Amino acid sequence: VQLQASGGGLVQAGGSLRLSCATSGIIVRVNAMRWYRQAPGKQRELVATISSGYSTNYADSVKGRFTISRDNAKNSVYLQMNSLKPEDTAVYYCNADVDIPGGGQYMYWGQGTLVTVSS
């Protein structure tokens, strides 16, 4: 199972970006999917979560600005980021809880995509 994140880049403060993360491999079911971020010199933090039933949760720092969504048919998760601030600069990682053939649920990580917000 692999997660491939994309969509990062350089944007001015107040701008928008949309991150995508596609899951591939032999999968029975993708359960919760998440976006984390890690800024330079800081710990990785949870940004947003979406369940298989489309329930969502957000970090207080991004509420009202970021929207997480998913396409279960494509086993993909997205993060629409609006009104970006310089403090949103970080490497963004996607993460998913995946049921695989033979039983068991495992957590997988994408490789990260860099978002840089200039002031």
Side-chain angles (χ1 to χ4, degrees), residues 41-59:
K42 295 188 177 181
Q43 289 188 331
R44 191 171 297 189
E45 64 170 344
L46 178 61
V47 174
T49 302
I50 186 166
S51 72
S52 58
Y54 302 98
S55 296
T56 59
N57 281 289
Y58 297 92

Side-chain angles (χ1 to χ4, degrees), residues 40-105:
K42 295 188 177 181
Q43 289 188 331
R44 191 171 297 189
E45 64 170 344
L46 178 61
V47 174
T49 302
I50 186 166
S51 72
S52 58
Y54 302 98
S55 296
T56 59
N57 281 289
Y58 297 92
D60 287 343
S61 58
V62 306
K63 280 181 182 176
R65 300 189 298 122
F66 290 11
T67 301
I68 189 171
S69 61
R70 64 188 290 166
D71 183 334
N72 286 341
K74 296 181 180 180
N75 290 327
S76 294
V77 63
Y78 309 96
L79 188 67
Q80 178 66 44
M81 305 184 294
N82 299 328
S83 302
L84 283 161
K85 304 175 180 179
E87 51 263 43
D88 294 318
T89 295
V91 177
Y92 285 71
Y93 298 90
C94 55
N95 162 295
D97 296 333
V98 180
D99 293 340
I100 62 172
Q105 182 180 101

